[in-house]
Amino acid sequence: YCCFTLIQIIPTMGSSVSKCDAAVSAPPLPPLEGSSVESSSIDVGELSAPEVINEDDAIAKAAASASAITNPGFLEHATQEVKQLIELDTRDGFRVDISKQLSPFFLVSHSFWLGTTMLQGGNKQYAFVPQVGLDETTFVMARVDPITGTINGRIHKAIGPFMLKYILATGKEAGQNDQMMFDVDLGAETWTGNLKYGSMAGGLFLGCNYFQSVTPSLAIGGEGLYVGANGNMLSSYTAKYSSANYLACINYNMGQQMITCHYKNEITPKRVSFGAELQFCPLSIDQSTVMLGMEYAFARSKLSMSVDGGGKLQTVLETKLGKERESPSLTLSGEIDHANDTMRFGYGFSIS
């Protein structure tokens, strides 16, 4: 009989009882060769699978941690952020600008400027400015001043990576104020360039510039111009260093032998900004000029102030007259020029 069957021996005289209470268990497996007995008691659940590394995720993490070199913008706009702080648009008299969006592609503006002493040959100005977007790649605008008889036109056309611009300016009488210019803007991920061809001041005008990002913070470039009216050839070189809260830019003009330095610092991001410009000639330090500017941005208003080395102080206050974004805005501007003993004050409205 099988040993797994329960067996009971009935006692006989002079003998005792013997019983098999449980089934016989199988003997343990022998340990593997080269291993100890203790190793066989390891819980399989405690073993973890090896970490699988995805090659695509590793590349994405490396790319995100690296600082990419971006497009530096156009060379003509390298110092635009600083100039907005130090070159304020102060006017005298009364000015009102009215804009109306007639359709998603058609905008019309009327500009009135009355009681000013800053215009030659009169104290008033009116301008009619229509702007039309023919499609996603074409933009047309014009500025007509019936009082002075001047017309300024501009056409922008995007063709692939190129931006074509045609600029025309003319007056009542043909002369030095007429201008015609054909521009081509081009660029890629890390550089921009521009080509110019046209007529200015009664002569041929040629120009080109190039701006290249060297590092995520540093960009360098240069510009060359030819003015046929006086036969001058001008060249300049620019280096710009920018970060999250400040930028510094230096420009050297070989024709004028002038060095211009610009600096901007956001003391409080999106609230308080400081800008400065220093222009000097290494061969004649007495021709140097300096300008400083500050801007304070509030919830619905902005205060800008600037002062130069000659003692001219400019102040502009812009404020919204409502909580909505389309609310009319009021502008107050003042200027005191201590060197020339002149003062100006103006105010205006902007309605859209």
Side-chain angles (χ1 to χ4, degrees), residues 13 51 55-57 100 112 144 149 170 185 200 221 232 245 275 282 308 313 321 326 331 341:
M13 186 179 297
E51 183 180 358
E55 184 177 355
D56 294 339
D57 294 342
K100 178 64 176 179
F112 301 88
V144 182
T170 183
D185 293 337
M200 180 182 295
N232 288 339
N245 296 328
D308 63 5
L313 178 64
L321 301 180
E326 296 80 10
T331 302
D341 195 20

Side-chain angles (χ1 to χ4, degrees), residues 85 245 264-275 293-298 303:
L85 299 175
N245 296 328
K264 177 190 175 182
N265 186 7
E266 289 191 4
I267 302 174
T268 303
K270 299 182 180 180
R271 181 59 62 93
V272 182
S273 300
F274 169 78
M294 291 284 294
E295 180 181 282
Y296 300 87
F298 304 99
L303 176 63

Side-chain angles (χ1 to χ4, degrees), residues 53 270 292:
I53 300 177
K270 299 182 180 180
L292 306 175

Side-chain angles (χ1 to χ4, degrees), residues 112-186:
F112 301 88
W113 191 10
L114 308 174
T116 178
T117 59
M118 302 175 63
L119 299 175
Q120 296 181 357
N123 61 354
K124 59 183 179 295
Q125 185 184 69
Y126 166 73
F128 171 68
V129 183
Q131 303 179 30
V132 181
L134 301 180
D135 52 39
E136 295 181 354
T137 62
T138 307
F139 171 76
V140 180
M141 69 168 294
R143 188 179 188 277
V144 182
D145 188 347
I147 298 178
T148 60
T150 58
I151 299 176
N152 299 332
R154 183 183 294 266
I155 301 175
H156 290 190
K157 177 67 176 180
I159 302 177
F162 304 98
M163 174 63 73
L164 308 181
K165 295 184 291 184
Y166 178 74
I167 304 172
L168 176 66
T170 183
K172 289 182 178 180
E173 300 178 358
Q176 300 294 324
N177 295 327
D178 292 346
Q179 175 183 348
M180 182 186 69
M181 193 69 58
F182 181 75
D183 282 23
V184 179
D185 293 337
L186 61 158

Side-chain angles (χ1 to χ4, degrees), residues 267-289:
I267 302 174
T268 303
K270 299 182 180 180
R271 181 59 62 93
V272 182
S273 300
F274 169 78
E277 178 189 80
L278 174 62
Q279 189 175 36
F280 65 95
C281 177
L283 303 179
S284 180
I285 303 299
D286 57 346
Q287 297 181 6
S288 62
T289 60

Side-chain angles (χ1 to χ4, degrees), residues 304-325:
S304 304
M305 297 179 293
S306 70
V307 60
D308 63 5
K312 182 171 69 174
L313 178 64
Q314 296 177 312
T315 303
V316 176
L317 174 63
E318 301 177 14
T319 180
K320 286 286 187 180
L321 301 180
K323 296 183 179 180
E324 301 296 333
R325 183 177 180 182

Side-chain angles (χ1 to χ4, degrees), residues 70-88:
T70 59
N71 189 292
F74 290 101
L75 181 63
E76 299 174 348
H77 304 158
T79 60
Q80 184 176 6
E81 298 181 29
V82 182
K83 291 185 178 296
Q84 292 177 351
L85 299 175
I86 61 177
E87 297 180 0
L88 303 183

